[in-house]
Every structure is written in C-alpha cells, then in structure tokens.
Amino acid sequence: MTGRRSTGDVPDLVGRARDGDARAVARLISLVEDQSPLLREVMAALAPHAGHAHIVGITGSPGVGKSTSTSALVGELRRAGKRVGVLAVDPSSPFSGGALLGDRVRMQEHALDRDVYIRSMASRGHLGGLSWTTPQALRVLDAAGCDVVLIETVGVGQSEVEVAGLADTTLVLLAPGMGDGIQAAKAGILEIGDLYVVNKADRDGADTLRRELRSMLALADRPEGAWRPPIVKTVASKGEGLDELLAEIDRHGEWLRETGELAARRTRRARDEIEAIAVTALRERWGDVHGRSELDELAAAVAAGESDPYAAAETLLAEL
Ligand code: GDP
C-alpha cells in the first residue's frame, strides 16, 4: 500500500526521480493515481523543479493514428537528443486495461530506452478526474527532467477538449476516409488545435481533407499576431513528415515563449488545478464522499419544503 509508506521516503523518491530513475518516476505516478496522502508532500517537493518540459497534447478520433504518431514522435525526439515522457490517459474508463498506449506493442521499441518514460493512467472515476490527476502526473514527468511530455487521450468523448486544456501545444490528428472533414467543425476541434495533422497521407483523400481543413480554419476570426495553426501531412506508420511535425511543434513552443502565451496558459492551468483540488476538498467535508452528511440533511429539508436551497447553501458555507 503506497499510502502507508513513511514520509521519509518522499525526498528520497523525488531525488531519485530527478536523477532519472525510472522506477522512482513510476512510483511517484502511482502515488498520484492512488491519490495517496503523501501527494501533498510530493507536490511540494516537485514544485521547484517543474516548468521545463514542453507539454504536447495529441488528440483525434480513435483509429486516426495517435498511438503510431506518438511512437514515431518519440523516435524523432530521441534522435534530437531529447528526454521524453509519454502519458496516455483514459478519462472515459475506470479500467487501466491492455488497450492503453503504454502496453501497446508499438511502444515496445522505446521500452528499454532510459530517456523515455511511458506511462498509462486511468482516472479511475475519481472526483475531479482528469483535471486533478493528470496535471500532477505531468508535473512528475516534468520534474524528472523530460524535455517534452506527450499526452495522449485514449477513448472518446469530451476528452479531446480536456487534453487541450492540459497541454502547451495541442495537436489534432485527422485522417482521410474517417468522415473527419465533416465532423471536425461539430466536435469543436477547430478551436483547440495549435497544429493540425493530416495523417495517413498515403491514402486517397488526404489532399482534399487538407484543403477542407484549411478553408474551415481560414473562417476563424483570429486577431492580429495570433498563432495560425499549420497543417502538416504525415504517414506516421512510415515515419514520413515527422521531422516537419516536430519542427512545427518547436516553432509553436518558441511562439508561446516569445508572446507570453506560455505563462498565460500555465497560469490558467494552475487555476483549474487549484479549483479542482479545493472543490474536491469541499465535497469531502460535506460528506459527498463518505456516507450521510450535513449536505444530505439539508437536501432532505429542502425536498420536504422545510428550507430553501439558498438558505441551505448558506448554512453549508457557514459550517466551514
Ligand atoms: P489511434 O487509435 O488513434 O491511436 O490509432 P493507431 O495509431 O492505433 O492507428 C490505427 C491504425 O492505423 C493502425 O492499424 C495503424 O497501423 C494505422 N496507421 C497509422 N498511421 C498510418 C498511416 O500514416 N498510414 C496508414 N495507411 N495507416 C496508418
């Protein structure tokens, strides 16, 4: 049980993680996943060492080539001498099953590389889910000296938009023959991408998809000096176009730093994280988590017409 380890282990673990000990990194991420009581101390110890890594989110419909692209990008980053973290999260499922990226065969080529950390994480239905656990896992990888951390969501739903909220740079992958051209606007992905990737460019329809995407992106109202998301064509399965993709990721990173947008995004993220932690703490106090509580009593009174919701909310806040 990770939760029962003595607190004396934390400085040691953090020290070893910073020295690049993969097992220490894995252990710290497990503490995050388990929401260990030691997390407070861990986060305090990590805080001065975070902020170096470029966090790159990779989103797109299932089957579009996210996992293949992630693996190819890791290879490209390693050739450039970068230390890389990969975090695959499945916010839609409480199971950390075999379908997650870290367990996929494609990533095995990097499994023995000391400078690549690969980790899959299920949010396990915790309160706050992705908004709470993922930034903490990212902070572990960042403090462990990763130059770039790739974060990929597995599964569908609003996770695509959520991952964009966690990354410095968000890649949106599309592929021909998946109906993406039409669906793109619907899913709201035209707002979240810093870079668009037309993968499976070896297939028919890649140029049409790129044209469609370009004209849709051109409709967006972007202020003077705003970032204009480029569209890169790749064949991830053959490693084609990955050098250009990496160059565009770097260019976006530069732009973020030069314009001050990086600090703005990170402040926004910290704000969300604080809020998620605070709201979770409040809910725990109200007994949302354990059994019948003050909140339940008040709810019963409101339902019975003995009180009104405003008065009940005031009572609840006054209790704090
Ligand atoms: P994910 O679900 O988005 O992670 O997609 P995967 O990376 O698992 O890829 C889905 C399928 O598409 C796999 O069979 C890949 O081998 C294949 N694939 C990935 N990239 C390409 C590509 O550039 N061209 C072609 N033809 N197939 C690809």
Side-chain angles (χ1 to χ4, degrees):
M1 269 291 285
T2 43
R4 298 224 181 97
R5 291 169 67 95
S6 81
T7 53
D9 289 343
V10 169
D12 175 55
L13 259 184
V14 169
R16 283 194 289 129
R18 301 221 337 109
D19 287 342
D21 177 344
R23 290 180 58 184
V25 173
R27 173 132 210 107
L28 287 173
I29 296 182
S30 294
L31 293 178
V32 170
E33 223 177 6
D34 296 344
Q35 310 238 319
S36 158
L38 294 181
L39 269 188
R40 243 185 121 131
E41 195 184 340
V42 169
M43 288 304 138
L46 293 180
H49 309 295
H52 166 75
H54 186 178
I55 314 270
V56 178
I58 299 173
T59 72
S61 313
V64 80
K66 292 184 298 297
S67 164
T68 313
S69 301
T70 301
S71 187
L73 261 180
V74 170
E76 200 67 30
L77 285 160
R78 289 299 298 128
R79 274 188 285 284
K82 302 274 173 72
R83 185 184 268 193
V84 191
V86 177
L87 191 66
V89 288
D90 187 350
S92 62
S93 156
F95 308 110
S96 45
L100 284 174
L101 176 85
D103 309 320
R104 290 205 210 172
V105 178
R106 269 187 290 285
M107 293 304 285
Q108 295 304 316
E109 61 180 296
H110 304 297
L112 296 175
D113 187 335
R114 271 198 86 234
D115 289 311
V116 181
Y117 301 100
I118 299 163
R119 178 63 183 240
S120 57
M121 209 171 79
S123 59
R124 289 188 184 163
H126 284 301
L127 283 171
L130 193 61
S131 59
W132 183 359
T133 52
T134 313
Q136 298 192 339
L138 289 172
R139 192 170 296 120
V140 170
L141 293 168
D142 182 0
C146 289
D147 300 299
V148 176
V149 179
L150 304 173
I151 166 170
E152 183 200 336
T153 48
V154 182
V156 287
Q158 58 172 23
S159 57
E160 293 184 1
V161 179
E162 277 188 69
V163 78
L166 295 165
D168 300 322
T169 298
T170 298
L171 311 189
V172 174
L173 267 65
L174 301 155
M178 297 188 62
D180 271 329
I182 308 115
Q183 279 175 11
K186 279 191 214 157
I189 60 163
L190 290 172
E191 283 92 65
I192 63 169
D194 297 305
L195 262 86
Y196 289 85
V197 181
V198 173
N199 188 41
K200 305 195 185 183
D202 53 333
R203 295 204 174 159
D204 286 346
D207 287 319
T208 311
L209 177 57
R210 181 156 75 163
R211 263 197 308 278
E212 262 181 54
L213 189 58
R214 184 172 289 153
S215 51
M216 281 200 256
L217 288 170
L219 295 176
D221 204 6
R222 293 180 207 280
E224 187 68 25
W227 174 257
R228 292 182 188 277
I231 304 172
V232 181
K233 279 204 301 185
T234 59
V235 183
S237 52
K238 293 190 192 137
E240 287 171 24
L242 270 296
D243 48 351
E244 190 193 342
L245 178 57
L246 189 55
E248 292 291 0
I249 291 171
D250 285 343
R251 193 166 70 83
H252 186 249
E254 281 296 309
W255 178 86
L256 286 172
R257 271 187 295 276
E258 280 168 10
T259 55
E261 178 63 16
L262 186 64
R265 286 188 184 196
R266 290 183 172 179
T267 304
R268 261 199 311 274
R269 260 158 35 207
R271 191 181 180 286
D272 292 345
E273 202 181 344
I274 296 165
E275 202 172 25
I277 291 172
V279 167
T280 306
L282 283 177
R283 285 202 175 133
E284 272 169 9
R285 281 199 221 175
W286 291 336
D288 226 34
V289 178
H290 323 283
R292 193 170 169 86
S293 65
E294 176 74 16
L295 181 56
D296 293 324
E297 307 282 336
L298 289 164
V302 170
E306 293 156 14
S307 177
D308 70 89
Y310 284 96
E314 271 165 30
T315 309
L316 201 54
L317 289 171
E319 298 280 312
L320 301 170

